[in-house]
Amino acid sequence: MKTMKLEIHFCAQWNYEPEAVSLAAELKEKFNVDAELFAEGKGIFDVVIDNDIVYSKYDTGRFPELGEVTKLIRCKG
């Protein structure tokens, strides 16, 4: 798989950082890519690959399940 730019945008106000850090570790293990974490607000939890949102808590109403984002990235690649 080619090198990708991986970002996780999370809500600091609602303390979504643990979920962001956990997901970043999972993706590091699977793809050997370091995620850049962005602390934001308004309940956001988005995963962005190469400037495309591949997962959004706004769309699903929940955090991603273990392995879910990995599957989405593999489908995208």
Side-chain angles (χ1 to χ4, degrees), residues 9-73:
H9 299 255
F10 67 92
C11 182
Q13 178 183 1
W14 289 99
N15 193 28
Y16 293 169
E17 186 173 9
E19 288 86 355
V21 169
S22 176
L23 180 57
E26 175 189 333
L27 298 176
K28 171 73 173 179
E29 180 182 321
K30 298 294 183 187
F31 300 108
N32 197 32
V33 175
D34 291 314
E36 191 170 356
L37 303 180
F38 294 90
E40 299 180 17
K42 299 185 181 180
I44 193 168
F45 194 88
D46 290 345
V47 180
V48 180
I49 306 290
D50 297 331
N51 298 317
D52 291 325
I53 296 175
V54 295
Y55 185 88
S56 176
K57 183 175 166 286
Y58 284 140
D59 292 340
T60 63
R62 60 177 175 76
F63 289 104
E65 296 174 8
L66 185 64
E68 183 174 5
V69 174
T70 297
K71 289 177 187 172
L72 292 170
I73 291 171

